[in-house]
């Protein structure tokens, strides 16, 4: 992976974390145990500190950055969807940030919250635990159900397992010229996106 020390600060990646080779880590970045960092993610610790706590995932093309002296943190088991931008904010433990959402400086997303895809969370926003946050600008819509929280947690476990799978078997290769006879499919863990069966 492109990994750069800056002003004497070198990124830290726990041995049980998986960081895709195309993700970029710069300066004061700390990636904890069991984390997953997807392709083309950018973790820029060139002003403030960037932290992924244990079991968090940061998916494809996400950006984490912050102003000087800030901490941009995804707490334990946080789940950051494709293309999200986190800037100088804290994402609480077991929370989910939807695809292409933006969370701005000094915002605090409570534990076990879900921020909907494409939401824009203004600077300084705070929400209580277990909230559904939607809109642009974002606001709290309602409390999440136990079923919704369980759905989120199952998805996060899938990414924790993906980190292990990638550490064990992901290798760069050349594509095949044609589909082989009897091509197998990826294993089925039983996880289904919300609204698509049990």
């Amino acid at each position: 992976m492109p990994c750069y020390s800056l002003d004497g600060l070198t990124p830290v990646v726990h041995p049980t974390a998986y960081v895709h080779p195309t993700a970029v880590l710069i300066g004061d970045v700390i990636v904890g145990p069991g984390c997953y960092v997807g392709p083309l993610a950018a973790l820029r610790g060139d002003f403030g500190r960037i932290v992924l706590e244990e079991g968090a995932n940061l998916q494809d093309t996400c950006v984490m950055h912050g102003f000087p002296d800030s901490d941009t943190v995804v707490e334990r088991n946080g789940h950051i969807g494709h293309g999200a931008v986190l800037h100088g904010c804290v994402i609480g433990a077991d929370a989910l940030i939807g695809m292409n959402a933006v969370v701005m400086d000094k915002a605090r997303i409570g534990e076990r919250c879900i921020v909907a895809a494409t939401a824009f969370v203004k600077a300084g926003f705070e929400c209580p635990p277990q909230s559904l946050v939607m809109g642009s600008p974002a606001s709290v819509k309602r409390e999440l159900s136990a079923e919704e929280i369980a759905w989120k947690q199952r998805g996060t476990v899938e990414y924790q397992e993906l980190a292990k799978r990638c550490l064990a078997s992901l290798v760069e290769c050349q594509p095949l010229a044609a589909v082989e006879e009897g091509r197998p499919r990826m294993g089925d863990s039983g996880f289904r996106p919300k609204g698509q069966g049990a």
Side-chain angles (χ1 to χ4, degrees), residues 44-156:
R44 281 184 51 206
D46 46 16
F47 292 124
R49 176 167 289 175
I50 307 298
V51 179
L52 291 178
E53 293 185 359
E54 182 178 0
N57 69 77
L58 186 76
Q59 298 173 20
D60 322 42
T61 72
C62 288
V63 175
M64 291 182 71
H65 193 241
F67 289 127
D69 300 319
S70 70
D71 288 356
T72 305
V73 180
V74 179
E75 293 182 349
R76 191 172 189 272
N77 296 331
H79 189 112
I80 313 302
H82 316 286
V85 176
L86 309 179
H87 202 277
C89 57
V90 176
I91 308 304
D94 211 18
L96 180 150
I97 307 301
M99 293 182 272
N100 290 312
V102 175
V103 184
M104 293 299 294
D105 302 274
K106 299 188 186 300
R108 168 80 198 200
I109 304 301
E111 295 180 357
R112 298 178 310 283
C113 287
I114 293 177
V115 174
T118 73
F120 178 77
V121 178
K122 295 195 305 187
F125 177 89
E126 292 192 27
C127 63
Q130 209 162 311
S131 297
L132 175 63
V133 177
M134 301 173 71
S136 184
S139 62
V140 175
K141 300 301 181 186
R142 61 175 172 80
E143 186 173 325
L144 291 169
S145 68
E147 180 186 55
E148 289 168 320
I149 292 168
W151 169 81
K152 180 271 168 200
Q153 291 169 337
R154 288 194 304 273
T156 300

